[in-house]
Amino acid sequence: MLTQKILVVGDTFELFYKGIMLCKDPYHYNILVTCDIGSAYGRKFIVTPTAENVGSHTLTVTITDDFGTVLANKSVSLNVVNKATSPAENINVLCVGDSLTEGGAWIDEMYRRLTKTTDK
């Protein structure tokens, strides 16, 4: 499913075509991705927004067959925002979950995004 995305300056966003198409072989179709930022490749669209990209950008995905017949067309908004600033004071966050929470991977990423640092 392709929905509105919020991108953070400096963080890479990758849109793999196989993840947005419900079919056995998405590469059997012609996939055209257009956006004023980022680059489209054979398997994915990729963008690492900069401070100059802050704002809204339209990403359009068009799927055609070998004869140029449009089978699907979807546009979504990529909203680029600046990195978050560290909170003025410490706050406590309770992270509840399963083995992904216990391993700490997403917790470390959340900490990095909230504080702009990897130091704990």
Side-chain angles (χ1 to χ4, degrees):
M1 175 177 259
L2 192 57
T3 60
Q4 175 181 331
K5 301 293 179 199
I6 297 176
L7 311 181
V8 177
V9 169
D11 284 349
T12 299
F13 169 72
E14 296 178 308
L15 175 68
F16 287 86
Y17 307 144
K18 196 169 192 170
I20 61 171
M21 294 179 64
L22 184 59
C23 61
K24 186 173 183 175
D25 183 11
Y27 307 112
H28 176 73
Y29 301 95
N30 300 311
I31 304 167
L32 174 65
V33 178
T34 56
C35 188
D36 63 331
I37 59 173
S39 300
Y41 297 99
R43 292 181 14 201
K44 65 183 176 181
F45 169 81
I46 186 169
V47 61
T48 304
T50 63
E52 294 81 32
N53 301 134
V54 170
S56 183
H57 305 271
T58 300
L59 171 78
T60 302
V61 178
T62 304
I63 301 168
T64 67
D65 62 13
D66 289 337
F67 302 104
T69 305
V70 175
L71 304 173
N73 189 2
K74 172 87 179 201
S75 292
V76 296
S77 180
L78 300 180
N79 295 315
V80 178
V81 297
N82 283 310
K83 292 182 180 181
T85 57
S86 293
E89 57 188 57
N90 287 337
I91 58 171
N92 293 317
V93 177
L94 174 62
C95 301
V96 179
D98 55 11
S99 60
L100 295 175
T101 302
E102 182 181 359
W106 76 263
I107 297 169
D108 291 343
E109 178 64 10
M110 182 180 71
Y111 184 85
R112 181 187 73 82
R113 288 178 181 257
L114 291 175
T115 64
K116 291 192 192 179
T117 181
T118 56
D119 300 329
K120 285 190 175 182

